[in-house]
Amino acid sequence: MGTAVDAANKETNGSLLDEKKVTVVFVLGGPGSGKGTQCANIVQHFGFTHLSAGDLLRAEIKSGSENGTMIQNMINEGKIVPSEVTIKLLQRAMRESGNNKFLIDGFPRNEENRAAFEAVTKIEPEFVLFFDCSEEEMERRLLSRNQGREDDNIETIRKRFKVFLESSLPVVEYYNVKGKVRKIDAAKPIEEVFEAVKAIFTSKDEKGKTKHSRVHWCGIL
C-alpha cells in the first residue's frame, strides 16, 4: 500500500514550469485578517493566480482520487499531511493554470513547510504579503460574519490564532530577515487595505523588484 506522498508523486512528474520565470508571493495572516478578500482584488487587478493550500487539499479529497483518499485517511487518523503532498498539489495547480504569477494563501504554515517548498520547487517567494491584525479585531470579524462555519466560535478562533502565532510567525520572521516581508495594516477598512496592497504590487511592477524594508514586531503580539 502506497502513501500520500507516493500518490502525489505519481501525479506530478518533471520540474515546475521550466520555461517560465515564476513569481510566487506567499500570503500570510491570522484567521479573519482579510487575506481572501484582498487576494481576490490582487487577482483582478494584477493578473495573479490565487492558490489556497487548504482548498487544494479539500478538492483533492472530494475528487475521490487515490491521493485524496490517502489525505482523508491521514486526517481521520489525526496525522499531519506531509508538506510534500501539499507542495505537489500546488505544483500541479501552478502548471495547469497557464500563468506564471501566483499568490499562495495560507502556506507555508510553519518552518518545515517553508523549507520543503523551497527544496522541492527550487522557488523562493518574491516577497511575503503579511496581513497584520490584532487578535481582538480578528475575533470581532470572525464572530460577526455569517458563513455558517462551525469553527467560528470564540474558543476555536483563539486556538487558531495561537497556532498561527506559534507556527506561522517564525516563517514571517525568517523572510523578514531576508528583506522579503511587506506588512499590511489589515485592521483598516477593506478599501484602505487594498490601496496599501496596490502600492506594493505597483512598486514591484514598475521597478522589477520591491523595496526591502525590515518589519518591526512591536505591535504584533
Side-chain angles (χ1 to χ4, degrees):
M1 180 173 162
T3 67
V5 174
D6 295 333
N9 285 337
K10 283 198 286 188
E11 297 186 22
T12 51
N13 296 318
S15 55
L16 175 63
L17 302 169
D18 290 332
E19 290 81 27
K20 296 182 179 180
K21 166 66 173 73
V22 176
T23 298
V24 166
V25 174
F26 288 148
V27 183
L28 296 175
S33 60
K35 300 192 311 295
T37 298
Q38 297 303 330
C39 282
N41 287 334
I42 295 166
V43 167
Q44 183 178 351
H45 286 79
F46 295 100
F48 278 70
T49 294
H50 177 208
L51 299 176
S52 162
D55 287 350
L56 289 173
L57 286 167
R58 285 185 285 272
E60 189 70 11
I61 291 169
K62 191 175 180 181
S63 75
S65 69
E66 177 187 359
N67 196 33
T69 301
M70 290 288 185
I71 293 167
Q72 183 67 74
N73 288 341
M74 293 190 75
I75 292 171
N76 290 345
E77 293 168 10
K79 296 178 181 177
I80 296 172
V81 177
S83 296
E84 289 80 3
V85 172
T86 305
I87 292 164
K88 294 296 183 183
L89 293 176
L90 286 166
Q91 285 183 301
R92 185 176 68 190
M94 291 165 82
R95 278 202 302 274
E96 291 175 352
S97 74
N99 201 353
N100 67 341
K101 299 192 297 183
F102 302 97
L103 300 173
I104 297 184
D105 178 6
F107 187 93
R109 288 184 178 273
N110 54 45
E111 268 290 284
E112 194 272 331
N113 282 172
R114 178 202 63 74
F117 181 88
E118 292 189 8
V120 172
T121 67
K122 312 303 181 189
I123 296 171
E124 270 199 38
E126 183 83 7
F127 58 90
V128 175
L129 192 61
F130 174 52
F131 288 88
D132 185 25
C133 196
S134 70
E135 182 175 5
E136 293 75 20
E137 175 63 16
M138 287 190 280
E139 279 184 12
R140 185 191 67 77
R141 291 177 180 180
L142 292 172
L143 291 171
S144 64
R145 74 186 186 186
N146 184 21
Q147 295 183 345
R149 286 183 54 165
E150 293 179 1
D151 57 351
D152 284 352
N153 63 72
I154 193 71
E155 184 179 346
T156 306
I157 288 168
R158 287 177 178 170
K159 284 180 182 176
R160 289 166 64 198
F161 188 75
K162 184 172 184 287
V163 168
F164 172 74
L165 288 178
E166 292 175 352
S167 299
S168 297
L169 271 189
V171 177
V172 178
E173 290 167 345
Y174 171 87
Y175 285 117
N176 182 48
V177 170
K178 297 169 77 74
K180 286 180 173 280
V181 171
R182 308 293 174 264
K183 185 168 78 164
I184 297 290
D185 182 355
K188 293 181 178 179
I190 290 172
E191 296 78 10
E192 290 184 36
V193 172
F194 188 54
E195 286 303 313
V197 169
K198 277 199 296 188
I200 290 169
F201 280 84
T202 301
S203 173
K204 173 192 174 304
D205 289 343
E206 288 177 352
K207 299 180 181 179
K209 61 181 180 179
T210 48
K211 297 176 182 176
H212 291 271
S213 59
R214 301 253 174 113
V215 174
H216 299 287
W217 301 105
C218 54
I220 189 164
L221 296 177

